[in-house]
């Protein structure tokens, strides 16, 4: 437990109302989006600005207190879940959009700002913030950065890391520094790039400079249904092989469709099919027509049962909403679910989906597949009921086996949800020992005492000797 | 005597030309054990970039590591060894109607490894992004000779830290880049450039905004000043170069509508160049065309396009007469000085320019210059507040400081 004295000191910095210590309130924070891993924090802190974050972190650093940055807690790898009574530093109160610079197409936001808010703030300008995780109504830019989050439309427009130009971060020793900036290619190593995807293990992001993307002139949405998973998968592979990069190309199998159609987010998807592919072809007006025709041909060649255009904008929105709410809709199938996040090269979709099916059967589990097919980023969802004896172990093992297949096929164990706790065991399956050591060396430069989100992402091996930070000549980058 | 292998006057004591990754690894192990300073090079197009080396023992020439490792056209990726020239890689991809939309200087001479280490780019970055957006994976030989992988061949991957980003632009100071995997893209059906004659640079700024606010999606939007224009056989005015690429239907329409847009804005002197490769090649490779000149200086400036007037004002104030190529949509530019004579003075001017650029969060880096200029000013400019982290990374990953010692920011 924390000493009362330390909490007292933190309260002096943040104010009493910004420090949560009561057990009932803390229980809200005991997991992220993956509720199979739970752990109570010792306290939750709600700082209002970078300075407060810095002061609190200094205090933690001086007293060897472990802490974890947290955004909206929608993460799907347990990366923000305490394992040893760490304190949570919640960025929720730091949610302001600080600057919108339309001439340079750049925005500056606090880390706790909600992803969707950013695009809403510039609606009607012809620009938007491109990374669109399905959780975008809730998740924070800081969380997106920590996980290098993707989304359906990241296929063409790139993931979070491709849209972040600079950061303000509080290092695990409490120093506030700026990385990158509005102006590209600041001389030196690309530490911004390294920070993105680091799951809060290198420090806390407090502000971000992001770039805005021009909205496509035209978008054509198509919904293609298929009688076999294999045909649908091959259709996706063939689109990519043709060199066509649609705005988005998503895949849902029968069970995923079933879940959505049973939920409040019913999209009107056909239910008598084995799989559907939902695709946005976007770009300039005429090119969109040319490419759509090519895509339709490819779908037909792969025995599409039906290829539909939405009747109107409403129907289009319903389809996309149905897709984006698919994880939540799993609740209509079972009380719990586990979502995996493997990546494979796109020509192997059919092969790997078949293997996933075999694994599920072997473990006597069901799997719903709803994923970013154009990226080869699989999301096998395993619905289950926690109350069933021994089921969790089975579910986790099946999930791991699926991810191993992805690695064996030359892919990765995670495309966007991160390693967190849940995939830590598998890191040694994808990386050689010396590669893990190498990454640990990097972590030690930033986080030498391993106080900041300890042991997440990479199984911790401890740091040799804390490096000295030298005094600094400062040029504020932005 | 200066041999062909000397780097800014430093002679290597031993020269290696490995033919496999394993050899590279052995050489690095050896260098590390014996604390020998090692400089990895390929074809030597940018040896002049950076601070002079502090010491040099081993020269590691990577030009024999030039094989294609794997090409999967239908999965849109290719893996090559880093000694391959970008030009040769593009030739391979072209056979499958694909390419990498990267158009850096020294296109025909530079190796993949060199391009990655210097984060080279060209005007097309506007539409296609930089190496950060195209590289999927790297194989790296560390200072200790270990072979490690970063990223992979899939387009999304967040297992482990994003070492790919760390190595792009790290100038060979953190390890030897041995292999790289790129995304590949379909070749555009058509490329067309519009050359718009301008009265002054301000017109470039306003045109940039008009283009930005329209539906048009140029892949490059470059301003050149009168002296650079002359070297491209255009008359001595400011020009805006707008390049369109993509499907033929789209490009045709964009060209038509762009011409309209320019006319409406009162710009009537617009040339339409259909076979535009030569033009861009000449512009991008300007340094190469004049490299013979001893005194040639090339500067990279970072300044937002809304702050371009500051840069232009400074040029007048300090009576500098560079050739300027400014990438409007990117906020990055290159300036070339051909006849600098007094390096002492030029060094001071560069320092003064920098102070002003910093006030706008910009910067200035010397990309190429005679060694003498480096006596009077610093190549990289002031250290930023993240420098201690950079130093920390260097010390952690190259503890003996054997890789390109001194060359990078802050003498890393
Ligand atoms: C229904 C649903 C759909 C989803 N769809 C997608 C999707 O399409 N694509 C996708 O990529 N992800 C998706 N996710 C996963 C999740 O939403 C993303 O990972 C998201 O970016 C997490 O943001 P958060 O604010 O909730 O972060 P949290 O869960 O609070 O934290 C996640 C990680 O980020 C760290 N962190 C948070 N804030 C900071 C900060 N300021 N500085 C440093 N580290 C920080 C935490 O320590 C933790 O390691 C989905 C999740 C759900 C529940």
């Amino acid at each position: 437990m924390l000493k009362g004295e330390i909490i007292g000191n933190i309260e002096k910095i943040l104010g009493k109302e910004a420090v949560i210590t009561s057990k009932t309130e803390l229980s809200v924070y005991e997991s992220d989006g993956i509720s199979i891993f739970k752990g109570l924090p010792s306290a939750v802190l709600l700082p209002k600005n970078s300075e407060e974050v810095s002061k609190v972190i200094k205090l933690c650093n001086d007293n060897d207190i472990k802490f974890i940055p947290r955004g909206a807690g929608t993460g799907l790898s347990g990366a923000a879940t305490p394992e040893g009574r760490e304190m949570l530093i919640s960025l929720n109160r730091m949610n302001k959009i600080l600057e919108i610079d339309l001439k340079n197409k750049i925005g500056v936001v606090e880390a706790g700002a909600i992803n969707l808010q950013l695009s809403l703030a510039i609606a009607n300008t012809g620009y938007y913030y491109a990374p669109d995780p399905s959780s975008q109504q809730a998740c924070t830019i800081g969380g997106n950065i920590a996980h290098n989050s993707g989304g359906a439309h990241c296929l063409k427009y790139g993931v979070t890391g491709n849209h972040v130009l600079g950061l303000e971060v509080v290092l695990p020793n409490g120093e506030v520094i700026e990385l990158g900036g509005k102006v590209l290619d600041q001389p030196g190593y690309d530490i911004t790039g390294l920070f993105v995807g680091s799951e809060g293990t290198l420090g806390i992001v407090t502000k971000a400079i992001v770039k805005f993307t021009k909205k496509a002139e035209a978008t054509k949405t198509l919904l293609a249904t298929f009688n076999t998973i294999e045909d649908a998968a091959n259709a996706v592979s063939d689109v990519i092989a043709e060199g066509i990069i649609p705005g988005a190309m998503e895949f849902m199998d029968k069970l995923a469709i079933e879940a959505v159609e049973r939920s409040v987010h019913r999209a009107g998807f056909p239910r008598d099919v084995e799989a559907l592919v939902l695709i946005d072809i976007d770009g300039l007006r005429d090119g969109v027509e040319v490419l759509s025709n090519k895509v339709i041909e490819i779908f037909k060649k792969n025995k599409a049962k039906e290829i539909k255009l939405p009747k109107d904008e409403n129907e289009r929105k319903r389809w996309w909403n149905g897709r984006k709410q698919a994880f939540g809709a799993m609740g209509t199938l079972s009380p719990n679910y586990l979502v995996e996040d493997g990546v494979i090269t796109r020509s192997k979709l059919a092969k790997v989906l078949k293997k996933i099916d075999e694994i599920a059967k072997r473990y006597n589990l069901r799997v719903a597949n709803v994923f970013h097919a154009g990226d080869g980023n699989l999301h096998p969802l395993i619905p289950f009921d926690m109350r069933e004896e021994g089921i969790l172990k089975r579910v986790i093992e099946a999930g791991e086996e699926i991810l191993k297949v992805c690695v064996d096929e030359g892919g990765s164990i995670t495309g966007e949800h991160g390693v967190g706790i849940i995939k830590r065991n598998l890191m040694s399956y994808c990386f050689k020992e010396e590669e893990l050591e190498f990454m640990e060396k990097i972590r030690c430069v930033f986080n030498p005492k391993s106080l900041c989100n300890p042991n997440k992402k990479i199984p911790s091996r401890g740091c040799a000797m804390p490096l000295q930070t030298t005094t600094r000549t400062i040029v504020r980058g932005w | 005597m200066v041999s062909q292998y000397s780097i800014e006057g430093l002679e290597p004591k031993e020269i290696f030309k490995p033919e496999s990754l394993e050899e590279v690894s052995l050489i690095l192990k050896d260098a590390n054990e014996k604390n020998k300073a090692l400089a990895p090079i390929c074809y030597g197009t940018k040896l002049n970039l950076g601070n002079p080396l502090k010491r040099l023992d081993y020269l590691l020439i990577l030009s024999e590591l030039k094989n294609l490792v794997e090409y999967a056209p239908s999965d849109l990726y290719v893996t090559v060894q880093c000694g391959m020239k970008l030009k040769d890689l593009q030739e391979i991809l072209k056979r499958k109607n694909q390419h990498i939309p990267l158009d850096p200087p020294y296109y025909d001479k530079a190796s993949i490894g060199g391009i990655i280490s210097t984060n080279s780019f060209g005007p097309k970055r506007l539409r296609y992004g930089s190496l950060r957006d195209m590289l999927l994976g790297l194989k790296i030989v560390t200072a200790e000779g270990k072979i490690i992988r970063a990223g992979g061949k899939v387009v999304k991957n967040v297992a482990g830290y994003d070492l790919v980003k760390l190595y792009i632009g790290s100038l060979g100071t953190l390890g030897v880049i041995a292999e790289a995997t790129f995304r590949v893209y379909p070749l555009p059906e058509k490329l067309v450039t519009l050359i718009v004659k301008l009265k002054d640079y301000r017109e470039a700024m306003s045109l940039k905004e008009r283009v930005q606010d329209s539906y048009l999606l140029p892949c490059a939007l470059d301003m050149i000043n009168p002296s650079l224009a002359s070297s491209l056989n255009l008359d001595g005015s400011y020009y805006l170069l707008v390049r369109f690429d993509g499907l033929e239907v789209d490009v045709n329409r964009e060209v038509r509508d762009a011409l309209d847009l320019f006319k409406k804005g009162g710009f009537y002197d617009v040339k339409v160049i259909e076979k535009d490769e030569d033009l861009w090649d000449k512009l991008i490779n300007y340094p190469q065309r004049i490299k013979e000149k001893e005194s040639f200086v090339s500067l990279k400036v970072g300044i937002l396009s809304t702050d371009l007037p500051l840069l232009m004002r400074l040029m007048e104030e300090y009576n500098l007469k560079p050739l300027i190529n400014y990438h409007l949509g990117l906020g990055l530019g290159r300036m070339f000085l051909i006849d600098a004579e007094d390096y002492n003075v030029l060094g001071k001017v560069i320092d003064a320019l920098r102070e002003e650029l910093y006030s706008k969060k910009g910067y200035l880096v010397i990309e190429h210059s005679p060694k003498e200029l480096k006596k009077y000013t610093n190549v990289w400019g002031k250290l930023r507040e993240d420098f201690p982290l950079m130093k920390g990374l260097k010390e952690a990953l190259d503890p003996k400081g054997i890789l390109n010692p001194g060359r990078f920011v802050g003498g890393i």
Side-chain angles (χ1 to χ4, degrees):
Chain A
M1 260 314 283
L2 275 180
K3 289 192 214 115
E5 198 189 331
I6 285 168
I7 288 291
N9 286 340
I10 292 175
E11 283 176 347
K12 267 185 219 145
I13 299 168
L14 301 180
K16 262 196 164 42
E17 41 69 52
V19 181
I20 299 172
T21 48
S22 90
K23 198 153 181 192
T24 33
E25 281 179 87
L26 288 180
S27 65
V28 177
Y29 295 89
E30 68 185 353
S31 77
D32 61 8
I34 282 288
S35 54
I36 52 175
F37 294 103
K38 286 198 170 92
L40 269 192
S42 56
V44 176
L45 315 183
L46 295 152
K48 288 183 290 300
N49 52 48
S50 322
E51 208 191 324
E52 286 188 355
V53 176
S54 163
K55 282 186 184 156
V56 170
I57 301 301
K58 280 207 175 102
L59 200 128
C60 289
N61 189 41
D62 292 345
N63 294 284
D64 289 341
I65 296 168
K66 296 181 173 162
F67 54 92
I68 304 177
R70 182 182 158 111
T74 67
L76 292 173
S77 57
T81 303
E83 293 181 281
R85 303 301 312 264
E86 295 92 335
M87 282 201 303
L88 289 180
I89 318 266
S90 162
L91 280 296
N92 287 349
R93 288 190 182 172
M94 295 173 57
N95 59 3
K96 285 190 283 299
I97 294 173
L98 299 171
E99 189 187 338
I100 302 251
D101 173 356
L102 278 178
K103 284 214 164 141
N104 293 304
K105 314 300 175 208
I106 288 171
V108 183
V109 295
E110 287 186 321
I114 306 292
N115 174 300
L116 187 63
Q117 292 302 323
L118 190 50
S119 282
L120 290 179
I122 50 167
N124 306 325
T125 63
Y127 283 78
Y128 69 115
Y129 177 64
D132 64 336
S134 305
S135 52
Q136 71 184 141
Q137 298 184 356
C139 64
T140 65
I141 296 290
N144 294 171
I145 289 168
H147 277 319
N148 195 10
S149 298
H153 293 82
C154 293
L155 169 56
K156 181 165 176 181
Y157 295 101
V159 292
T160 299
N162 304 106
H163 300 269
V164 173
L165 303 172
L167 300 172
E168 178 192 83
V169 299
V170 180
L171 295 175
N173 64 5
E175 271 183 68
V176 187
I177 62 161
E178 289 170 348
L179 309 171
K182 283 186 178 178
V183 179
L184 297 172
D185 298 349
Q186 295 286 342
Y189 300 137
D190 181 5
I191 298 188
T192 310
L194 185 62
F195 232 87
V196 174
S198 63
E199 299 185 18
T201 62
L202 302 182
I204 301 188
V205 176
T206 43
K207 283 178 201 156
I209 305 178
V210 298
K211 67 177 180 204
F212 299 138
T213 304
K214 200 178 211 168
K215 280 189 187 151
E217 187 197 16
T219 303
K220 190 158 191 165
T221 303
L222 297 172
L223 179 76
T225 56
F226 296 85
N227 282 329
T228 71
I229 298 257
E230 199 182 350
D231 288 341
N234 287 333
V236 169
S237 303
D238 287 356
V239 170
I240 296 295
E242 191 59 33
I244 300 173
I245 301 291
M249 183 154 56
E250 300 284 305
F251 184 110
M252 293 172 74
D253 68 6
K254 195 180 182 79
L255 193 55
I257 297 171
E258 184 64 29
V260 171
E261 290 304 306
R262 279 198 211 175
S263 78
V264 291
H265 301 292
R266 220 182 68 77
F269 293 141
R271 292 165 94 156
D272 55 342
V273 298
E274 285 305 311
L276 66 79
V277 175
L278 180 60
I279 182 167
D280 264 357
I281 298 147
D282 68 4
L284 297 180
R285 197 183 63 200
D286 301 330
V288 166
E289 282 311 306
V290 173
L291 296 181
S292 307
N293 290 335
K294 277 197 189 168
V295 167
I296 289 172
E297 254 171 57
I298 292 170
F299 284 172
K300 281 188 181 151
K301 201 185 82 202
N302 283 289
K303 307 194 272 282
K305 186 174 173 193
E306 197 183 4
I307 302 169
K308 294 207 320 179
L309 284 158
K311 278 197 298 290
D312 49 27
E313 185 55 22
N314 269 340
E315 184 165 54
R316 182 185 118 80
K317 280 198 179 133
R318 235 183 9 255
W319 286 352
W320 274 110
N321 186 53
R323 159 61 189 96
K324 292 208 167 184
Q325 302 295 340
F327 290 3
M330 295 310 288
T332 63
L333 299 179
S334 64
N336 310 92
Y337 70 90
L338 178 72
V339 50
E340 291 297 358
D341 179 38
V343 199
I344 49 167
T345 54
R346 293 160 286 192
S347 58
K348 291 190 172 146
L349 278 172
K351 180 177 173 192
V352 173
L353 286 171
K354 188 153 172 274
K355 285 197 177 166
I356 291 177
D357 186 50
E358 285 163 13
I359 293 169
K361 289 210 173 94
R362 196 148 30 79
Y363 281 89
N364 195 19
L365 293 165
R366 291 186 297 170
V367 172
N369 283 294
V370 44
F371 62 95
H372 311 309
D375 282 324
N377 188 181
L378 305 170
H379 287 328
L381 292 147
I382 311 179
F384 66 99
D385 185 343
M386 197 80 117
R387 289 165 300 190
E388 198 183 320
E389 234 344 269
I391 182 113
L392 186 58
K393 187 164 172 281
R394 226 164 74 221
V395 168
I396 290 178
E397 278 174 15
E400 289 189 352
E401 206 170 308
I402 289 171
L403 294 181
K404 284 183 177 172
V405 168
C406 295
V407 176
D408 296 345
E409 294 293 340
S412 170
I413 53 169
T414 173
E416 55 180 26
H417 295 168
V419 177
I421 298 174
I422 192 169
K423 276 160 234 154
R424 212 164 36 200
N425 278 341
L426 286 171
M427 285 295 275
S428 53
Y429 195 76
C430 345
F431 293 103
K432 292 180 294 187
E433 180 57 26
E434 46 203 29
E435 290 168 332
L436 293 173
E437 265 169 26
F438 196 79
M439 289 190 242
E440 178 76 338
K441 280 186 195 164
I442 291 176
R443 169 158 61 188
C444 290
V445 172
F446 292 78
N447 191 7
K449 291 162 116 185
S450 238
L451 296 176
C452 186
N453 214 1
N455 207 26
K456 298 286 172 48
K457 187 141 190 131
I458 302 159
S460 193
R461 341 174 111 51
C463 301
M465 204 178 51
L467 287 151
Q468 297 292 316
T469 9
T470 31
T471 34
R472 299 170 288 140
T473 349
I474 291 169
V475 184
R476 283 256 148 182
W478 42 289
Chain B
M1 249 273 297
V2 184
S3 81
Q4 57 168 320
Y5 296 116
S6 88
I7 300 183
E8 293 192 310
L10 271 188
E11 293 289 342
K13 301 188 182 72
E14 279 182 71
I15 293 165
F16 299 90
K17 225 172 180 177
E19 286 173 19
S20 71
L21 214 64
E22 290 66 34
E23 275 179 68
V24 177
S25 157
L26 287 175
I27 297 164
L28 277 149
K29 270 197 191 106
D30 175 68
N32 193 51
E33 266 159 33
K34 301 183 183 147
N35 194 9
K36 301 282 187 194
L38 179 146
I41 73 160
C42 235
Y43 301 103
T45 62
K46 296 176 206 87
L47 289 187
N48 187 279
L49 173 59
N51 305 323
L53 286 171
K54 280 186 189 146
R55 54 191 184 113
L56 176 63
D57 300 305
Y58 291 179
L59 188 70
L60 185 66
I61 303 176
L62 294 160
S63 52
E64 291 307 308
L65 281 176
K66 54 174 187 238
N67 295 331
L68 178 69
V69 179
E70 188 191 1
Y71 179 21
S74 55
D75 267 322
L76 307 184
Y77 71 84
V78 65
T79 305
V80 291
Q81 289 184 325
C82 284
M84 185 186 275
K85 289 179 182 166
L86 177 60
K87 181 172 177 244
D88 296 336
L89 174 55
Q90 300 283 32
E91 285 300 321
I92 295 171
L93 302 177
K94 201 171 164 187
R95 285 177 223 142
K96 297 280 179 190
N97 212 23
Q98 294 181 332
H99 76 144
I100 297 169
L102 189 67
D103 53 353
Y106 303 102
Y107 159 82
D108 54 337
K109 291 202 187 120
S111 70
I112 299 292
I115 288 171
I116 296 172
S117 302
T118 53
N119 190 19
S120 290
F121 70 96
K124 277 191 191 169
R125 180 169 177 179
L126 178 64
R127 180 165 189 182
Y128 295 98
S130 62
L131 282 161
R132 262 173 140 255
D133 309 293
M134 307 172 185
L135 263 183
L136 299 174
L138 292 176
K139 208 174 249 180
I140 293 149
V141 186
T142 68
E144 285 153 351
K146 291 178 180 155
I147 299 173
I148 62 161
R149 296 157 306 160
K153 52 192 178 186
V154 288
V155 293
K156 280 161 88 179
N157 191 350
V158 293
Y161 293 131
D162 194 345
L163 302 179
V164 175
K165 303 273 192 311
L166 181 63
Y167 276 85
I168 294 173
S170 62
L171 210 63
T173 58
L174 295 178
V176 173
I177 296 174
E179 269 178 35
T181 304
F182 288 86
R183 283 172 191 266
V184 298
Y185 301 69
L187 272 174
E189 285 177 4
K190 191 168 182 177
L191 288 144
V192 178
T193 298
L194 304 190
I195 306 182
V196 190
K197 186 168 173 172
L198 312 169
K199 278 206 298 290
D200 53 27
Y201 70 86
R202 284 180 192 276
E203 289 191 337
M205 294 171 64
S206 73
L207 268 187
K208 175 221 167 203
E209 277 183 33
R210 277 168 197 252
V211 170
Q212 225 169 27
D213 294 341
S214 71
Y215 78 84
L216 300 169
L217 282 181
C219 65
L221 198 58
D222 277 31
M223 182 198 78
I224 54 174
N225 73 340
S227 43
L228 186 51
S230 309
S231 95
L232 295 170
N233 302 329
L234 296 164
D235 75 9
S237 314
Y238 281 92
Y239 283 92
L240 180 70
L241 272 51
V242 191
R243 192 177 202 190
F244 294 106
D245 74 339
L247 296 176
E248 193 167 350
V249 277
D250 288 334
V251 173
N252 289 343
R253 176 174 161 237
E254 286 181 282
V255 170
R256 218 172 42 233
D257 291 347
L259 282 170
D260 248 19
L261 183 102
F262 297 148
K263 258 190 210 128
K264 279 196 195 118
F267 298 91
Y268 296 100
D269 193 338
V270 184
K271 286 193 194 60
V272 181
I273 313 284
E274 295 257 354
K275 295 230 173 327
D276 64 356
E277 240 88 48
D278 247 27
L279 169 74
W280 287 98
D281 191 48
K282 270 196 190 141
L283 173 59
I284 295 166
N285 289 307
Y286 180 76
Q288 219 170 318
R289 289 194 279 138
I290 54 164
K291 201 172 173 182
E292 301 73 49
K293 289 219 176 192
E294 261 294 288
S295 52
F296 158 62
V297 176
S298 162
L299 306 172
K300 175 177 178 182
V301 273
I303 183 162
L304 290 176
S305 47
T306 41
D307 294 323
L308 184 59
L310 169 71
L311 182 70
M312 302 309 281
R313 201 197 75 215
L314 290 171
M315 293 302 113
E316 273 185 23
E317 238 167 65
Y318 289 95
N319 196 24
L320 272 190
K321 298 202 166 54
L323 288 74
I324 303 177
N325 175 15
Y326 181 74
H327 312 295
L328 276 156
L330 295 171
L332 297 172
R334 282 211 165 81
M335 308 201 294
F336 311 110
L337 291 162
I338 313 174
D339 293 315
E341 273 162 14
D342 190 335
Y343 294 114
N344 188 349
V345 172
L346 181 59
K348 290 208 176 83
V349 169
I350 287 176
D351 289 343
L353 289 177
R354 278 184 172 141
E355 284 311 314
E356 301 264 3
L357 292 172
Y358 292 145
S359 73
K360 298 286 184 191
K361 328 293 183 204
Y363 61 85
L364 185 153
V365 168
I366 300 173
E367 283 196 318
H368 178 99
S369 83
K371 195 177 174 188
E372 199 180 341
L373 177 60
K374 300 181 185 178
K375 279 192 223 152
Y376 299 107
T377 183
N378 173 322
V379 169
W380 303 101
K382 240 198 232 177
L383 300 180
R384 287 163 46 96
E385 57 186 9
D386 54 0
F387 180 68
L389 291 174
M390 295 183 193
K391 197 156 168 274
L393 285 166
K394 171 73 176 177
E395 283 164 8
L397 305 182
D398 176 16
K400 294 189 180 167
I402 59 162
L403 291 165
N404 268 344
R407 232 180 130 187
F408 203 34
V409 174
I412 280 178

